[in-house]
Amino acid sequence: MRDAADRLHYLDEVMDLLFPPSHPGVRPGVRPGVRTGVRTGARSVLPHRLVPRRVVPRTWWHRALGRGLPVGGGIDTIETHLSDVLGRRMRVVVHVRPARRANRKPILEAYDESGLAGFVKVGDTPRARRLVRYESEVLRMLAGRPLKVVVPPDVLYHGQWRGLEVLMLSPLPVPSLRVGSRRVPAPLLASAVREIAAIRPYGEEADSGEAAAWQGDFTPWNIAAGTDGRLLVWDWERFAVGVPLGLDALHHFFHRALRRMPPPVAARSCLAQAGGLLEPFGVDVAQARRTAVHYLVTLAERHRRDGHEPLGPPAVWLNPLVDHLEFLL
């Protein structure tokens, strides 16, 4: 199936979850305890159904884009739930996510009368629910840390709705229209990696080596340089401790490389460049190569656990590189 067809199929599933139909005999759009007028109505797929990216509340000019997307008008939708728990009318824009990602989940922009109020992640599978719950825990932990370089979002709401995990996060002040559209200065990247590595969730004393922490998904599209000289960082659902120092730097480099080269070449480049990448953290070349192998194996194991191999089988992109480097592990 084409990517657009896959996305639309998954979109139908998502919209049924977020906007379940009305029950017989109940007037749509009105929920006890919520102000009247919180309605679902028709939606529009933008820019159009052949290139689905967002689903927005429909307005008059959307008629030129084709027919609207009908959604359920039940008394208990994601909009009525957010309106209820936040105490004000909320409307949402649904991002059309790739249908084949292992950690796919509905991502929403939530708006109130003043504009963008936050971003909402909805855990709709057992794996996604675990990731959403864990990210909520991580962000609450980070809120109590005196971070000087890294700026994570705040948790505005976390709860359960219709068996789904719902996490609403504050919007961060992105200075450009596209996240990751501008290169983050290398010194800022290094300072952020170093600050994250020193995070200790349970307050133990920070040291080096295997006691480091990493954000876990430190990719170009999950970070942006802020106007105040700090680094905005999203998506903390893979945060972990007890790893070698520098994994975030390697992850960032590897995913930048994947934009320009196939996975086997990107993996070789990651290993070859490891010494220079980890030099700012005081890691010698031999340890840097061991850390790079550790990182690539860790990433392959993550994909195996997720049941999804976006880089292809490890036998193709990883094994030829690391099989003769087992002594480094």
Side-chain angles (χ1 to χ4, degrees), residues 28-57:
V30 180
R31 179 184 179 187
V34 179
R35 287 183 297 172
T36 60
V38 180
R39 299 177 181 272
T40 56
R43 306 280 153 153
S44 296
V45 179
L46 298 181
H48 51 74
R49 290 186 66 85
L50 295 180
V51 188
R53 290 293 181 265
R54 296 182 300 146
V55 179
V56 304

Side-chain angles (χ1 to χ4, degrees), residues 289-290 293 297 319-329:
R289 286 173 58 82
R290 287 192 292 271
V293 173
V297 172
N319 292 6
L321 177 67
V322 302
D323 280 351
H324 67 287
L325 299 174
E326 291 182 356
F327 64 94
L328 293 179
L329 298 177

Side-chain angles (χ1 to χ4, degrees), residues 248-265:
D248 277 328
L250 295 170
H251 192 73
H252 183 267
F253 174 86
F254 184 56
H255 283 80
R256 281 188 57 219
L258 286 171
R259 291 177 165 179
R260 309 186 306 274
M261 57 190 71
V265 180

Side-chain angles (χ1 to χ4, degrees), residues 70 105 138 151 182 230 281:
K105 64 182 74 65
V138 169
V151 182
R182 296 191 304 178
R230 296 187 294 171
F281 312 107

Side-chain angles (χ1 to χ4, degrees), residues 303-327:
H303 294 164
R304 186 196 65 78
R305 291 196 308 268
D306 287 344
H308 180 60
E309 296 180 337
L311 306 181
V316 174
W317 71 269
L318 177 63
N319 292 6
L321 177 67
V322 302
D323 280 351
H324 67 287
L325 299 174
E326 291 182 356
F327 64 94

Side-chain angles (χ1 to χ4, degrees), residues 68-92:
L69 177 69
V71 297
I75 62 172
D76 190 15
T77 69
I78 189 62
E79 287 184 337
T80 61
H81 175 68
L82 292 174
S83 300
D84 194 10
V85 298
L86 298 173
R88 59 190 187 276
R89 183 186 180 186
M90 304 297 298
R91 300 297 298 271
V92 301

